[in-house]
Amino acid sequence: MSENLDKSNINETGKSKSNDSEQGLEDAVEGSEKALQKKIKSVSPSTRRVQRPHASPPRFVTVEELLETAKGVTNMALAHEIVVNGDFRIKPVELPEDSLEKRVKDIVHKAFWDCLSVQLSEDPPTYDRAIKLVGEIKETLLSFLLPGHTRLRNQITEVLDLDLIKQEAENGALDISKLAEFIIGMMGTLCAPVRDEEVKKLKDIKEIVPLFRAIFSVLDLMKVDMANFAVSSIRPHLMQQSVEYERKQFQEILEKQPNSLDFVTQWLEEAADDLLSQKYKNALPAGEGAAGSGDGPSPDPVEVQNYAYLMLLKWDHLHRPFPETVLMDHSRFQELQLQLEQLAVLGAVLLVTFSMAAPGISSRADFAEKLKMFVKILLTDMHLPSFHLEDALTTVGEKVCLEVSSCLSLCGFSPLTTDKEAVLKGQVHAVASPDNPIRRIVESRILTFLDAYLASGHQKPLPTAPGGLGPIQKELEEVAVKFARLVNYNKMVFSPYYDAILSKILVRS
C-alpha cells in the first residue's frame, strides 16, 4: 500500500457537523438516523473532479415515512450490533443516584414494602400482597425454563399453586418461609453460575419482607442473564439472516431517500482515483497518456474496496461526512483509527530505541517486551483532551535511556554516552509530530500490513509484519482481526451497491 494513503484526506468533498462519537448501540442508531434522514447537502466541489450530479432529484417525505425509516434504522442497528459485537451484552438499568426517576422509584418501592410489612404483622396476618408476589415469582421462574424442562415446570406449578396457597392462608396454615425456601432452591437450579453467590446469600435472610425484596433483586439479574443467553443463542442464526435483513432495510431507506449513496459514491471515486494514480500510472508505456484517460489498466474492484476501507482509518471526521453504508460502524472505525495512531507512536519509539541499542540487547525478547509495556502504559490516555503527547514522550525518552543503559550494563556493554542519550531523547520526543519521518514510515507499514491481511482473506499463515514492526506484531494482529471483521461483514451486506457503483467508476477510469 502506498505511503500516499495518509494524504487521501486532502481532497475534501464535503463538510458536516461532527458529534463526539461513543461506542455503543445508541450512538450507532443516532448516527445512522441523522445521516440517512437529515441528509447533509453542504458539499463543496472536489479539488480533483467536478461534483457529480445527483442520480435522482430530492423529494419531500411525509412524517410517517420518516418515522418508518427511523424504525427500520433502529432495527437494523440492533441486529448489526448483535452480529458484529461479540461482546454485546444487555445490562441492568441503573438510574443516577440524584435523578428524579431514582427518587420516585425508591419512594414507591418503600411504600409497597412497608405496606407488605404491615399486612404480615397483623394478627392474623393478611397475605394478599404476599400471594401476588408469589404469583409474580412463579411466572418469572417459568419464563426461565426451556421446552425440555418438564419436571421443573411441574414442580413450580405444583408447589406455587396460588389457589392452594390462598386456601392455606384462609385456614391459617400458610408457611411463607417454606415457600421462600422452595423459591430459593429453584433459583439456585436455574441461575447462571455467576449468580450462585447472590442466591446463596438469600438463605441467610430470615425476615420475610427483606427476603422477598432480595429475591426480586436477584430475579432481575437473572432476567438479564437469560436475555444475554438468548442473544448468544440467536447470534449464529442471526448472522445467517442479518446480511439480507440489513440489505433489505437499507434498500427501503434508499427508496425513501434516493440520494443515500452520495457519500459512498464520492468515497469509492476517490479511492479508485487515488489507487489509479499511485499504483497504475507507472504501468502505462511512455507516451500513451495519463492515467485515467481510458487507455490504461483499471484497478481491480476488490482492491479498490480494500483501499477505500483503509482510507476510513485516516478519515477527517471533523470535516468530511462518513459514507452512508458504514455509518453504523462509524464509532468502531474511529476507535480503530485512534488505536492505530497510538500503535504508530509506540512502534516509532521502539524502532528509534532499538536502532540505537546494541544488537545484543535489541534482540532480547524480555527487554523488548518490558520496554513496550511501560511505553504503552505512558501512552494509555493518548487521545484524551488533557493528554500532552510531547510531555509524555519526554518522560518516555528519559525512561528509555535508563532502561537501555541498564540492559547494556547487564549484558557487559558500555552504557549510553551522554551524547547518545541526548540524541535518543531527541528522536523519541520528535515522534510527537505527525510529520515525523519515522512515525510516517511506521504508519505506512501498518497500512501495508492491514492491506495484506485483507487481501489474504484470513488464510494461514498470517502476513509477516513489515520490517521494524516486529515488537508490535501482536497488537497489530489484534487490530487487523477487528478491522477485517468489520470490512468483510460490510462487504457482504453492501457488495451489490459497491459493485454497481464501481462498474460505472472503473469504466470511466
Side-chain angles (χ1 to χ4, degrees):
M1 180 60 58
S2 171
E3 295 183 21
N4 292 328
L5 178 60
D6 55 4
K7 298 180 181 179
S8 63
N9 59 2
I10 294 177
N11 305 299
E12 298 180 342
T13 59
K15 293 183 179 290
S16 67
K17 293 183 180 179
S18 174
N19 298 322
D20 292 335
S21 294
E22 298 177 356
Q23 191 173 14
L25 177 60
E26 292 180 3
D27 292 322
V29 176
E30 181 183 1
S32 301
E33 291 175 350
K34 286 184 178 180
L36 296 180
Q37 297 170 25
K38 301 178 181 178
K39 189 70 176 172
I40 301 171
K41 286 304 172 186
S42 55
V43 181
S44 59
S46 170
T47 57
R48 298 193 341 195
R49 67 179 71 86
V50 177
Q51 183 69 25
R52 64 180 180 79
H54 294 302
S56 57
R59 66 182 180 87
F60 291 105
V61 295
T62 65
V63 174
E64 289 75 13
E65 287 178 315
L66 286 176
L67 292 176
E68 190 63 28
T69 300
K71 180 181 178 181
V73 172
T74 302
N75 293 336
M76 183 169 59
L78 178 59
H80 183 89
E81 185 71 17
I82 293 174
V83 171
V84 174
N85 184 4
D87 297 324
F88 177 83
R89 295 291 183 275
I90 298 171
K91 298 180 180 179
V93 177
E94 297 182 1
L95 299 175
E97 285 296 328
D98 298 331
S99 65
L100 176 62
E101 295 89 342
K102 180 70 163 56
R103 293 198 298 270
V104 171
K105 179 182 177 182
D106 290 344
I107 292 172
V108 172
H109 282 203
K110 184 178 185 303
F112 175 85
W113 294 113
D114 287 347
C115 185
L116 176 62
S117 180
V118 170
Q119 284 191 342
L120 294 179
S121 62
E122 293 176 355
D123 188 16
T126 301
Y127 293 107
D128 293 347
R129 290 182 180 271
I131 293 174
K132 289 182 180 179
L133 291 181
V134 172
E136 292 182 20
I137 293 172
K138 175 184 177 181
E139 294 302 319
T140 301
L141 292 177
L142 290 174
S143 71
F144 294 153
L145 300 180
L146 298 176
H149 289 161
T150 305
R151 184 179 61 83
L152 293 177
R153 188 180 305 277
N154 292 336
Q155 277 186 300
I156 295 172
T157 303
E158 180 181 345
V159 177
L160 301 183
D161 185 337
L162 297 187
D163 292 334
L164 179 59
I165 292 173
K166 288 177 183 178
Q167 292 179 14
E168 291 177 345
E170 292 171 357
N171 296 321
L174 179 60
D175 188 348
I176 288 288
S177 299
K178 186 177 180 180
L179 288 178
E181 183 180 348
F182 171 79
I183 291 169
I184 294 172
M186 191 59 63
M187 290 171 65
T189 301
L190 298 175
C191 73
V194 71
R195 304 300 173 199
D196 286 343
E197 191 62 31
E198 282 97 332
V199 173
K200 183 179 179 180
K201 290 178 181 178
L202 295 176
K203 299 177 181 180
D204 299 329
I205 304 175
K206 303 305 180 183
E207 298 182 15
I208 296 300
V209 174
L211 177 57
F212 269 91
R213 292 190 68 168
I215 286 174
F216 273 92
S217 178
V218 176
L219 285 175
D220 286 341
L221 296 176
M222 290 176 62
K223 290 177 183 177
V224 174
D225 295 337
M226 181 57 66
N228 284 321
F229 172 74
V231 168
S232 63
S233 299
I234 68 171
R235 182 177 282 116
H237 306 287
L238 188 59
M239 173 70 80
Q240 298 173 5
Q241 302 178 22
S242 60
V243 170
E244 294 182 5
Y245 174 72
E246 288 193 33
R247 190 182 300 159
K248 178 182 177 182
Q249 291 291 319
F250 187 82
Q251 181 61 37
E252 292 177 359
I253 293 171
L254 188 60
E255 290 172 359
K256 295 181 175 66
Q257 306 264 2
N259 50 5
S260 292
L261 284 172
D262 285 3
F263 298 140
V264 170
T265 303
Q266 293 169 2
W267 168 50
L268 294 176
E269 281 178 342
E270 182 175 337
D273 287 355
D274 280 351
L275 196 58
L276 186 66
S277 62
Q278 294 172 19
K279 194 167 185 178
Y280 289 85
K281 184 176 181 179
N282 295 332
L284 291 175
E288 288 196 14
S293 63
D295 299 327
S298 295
D300 178 77
V302 174
E303 195 173 8
V304 174
Q305 289 186 46
N306 289 348
Y307 187 90
Y309 286 111
L310 290 174
M311 287 171 55
L312 298 180
L313 300 177
K314 302 291 291 182
W315 202 260
D316 183 359
H317 298 278
L318 291 177
H319 301 100
R320 301 194 62 184
F322 215 59
E324 296 91 341
T325 53
V326 287
L327 270 176
M328 284 193 295
D329 289 317
H330 190 184
S331 61
R332 291 188 177 89
F333 278 105
Q334 283 184 302
E335 182 182 358
L336 287 174
Q337 183 174 348
L338 297 179
Q339 290 178 2
L340 289 176
E341 287 177 5
Q342 186 180 52
L343 204 56
V345 172
L346 173 63
V349 169
L350 296 178
L351 185 59
V352 165
T353 302
F354 293 143
S355 66
M356 296 219 27
I361 69 166
S362 60
S363 59
R364 290 184 53 174
D366 58 339
F367 173 72
E369 192 64 24
K370 180 181 179 181
L371 201 63
K372 180 175 70 174
M373 287 305 298
F374 83 73
V375 176
K376 284 177 65 175
I377 291 173
L378 292 174
L379 297 178
T380 299
D381 300 327
M382 177 175 163
H383 296 290
L384 293 180
S386 58
F387 187 85
H388 297 286
L389 183 57
E390 292 187 359
D391 295 341
L393 289 179
T394 298
T395 304
V396 168
E398 294 174 354
K399 181 66 175 175
V400 162
C401 289
L402 288 175
E403 292 295 333
V404 170
S405 293
S406 175
C407 190
L408 286 171
S409 298
L410 290 175
C411 294
F413 298 101
S414 300
L416 293 177
T417 64
T418 303
D419 291 341
K420 284 189 175 182
E421 281 193 0
V423 172
L424 180 54
K425 290 178 181 178
Q427 289 184 348
V428 169
H429 188 267
V431 172
S433 171
D435 294 325
N436 175 260
I438 303 299
R439 180 171 167 179
R440 290 177 64 83
I441 288 174
V442 172
E443 288 177 346
S444 175
R445 291 177 180 178
I446 287 175
L447 294 175
T448 298
F449 178 84
L450 294 177
D451 185 41
Y453 190 87
L454 286 182
S456 70
H458 302 292
Q459 297 295 323
K460 301 292 183 178
L462 295 176
T464 304
L469 300 188
I472 61 170
Q473 178 158 350
K474 179 182 177 182
E475 291 79 5
L476 188 54
E477 288 178 356
E478 291 176 355
V479 173
V481 169
K482 294 179 183 178
F483 178 61
R485 184 186 298 121
L486 288 179
V487 170
N488 291 332
Y489 185 78
N490 187 267
K491 281 183 177 180
M492 285 191 293
V493 176
F494 297 106
S495 57
Y497 301 101
Y498 298 152
D499 292 342
I501 293 171
L502 286 174
S503 65
K504 298 176 182 179
I505 293 175
L506 296 182
V507 166
R508 301 197 303 263
S509 300

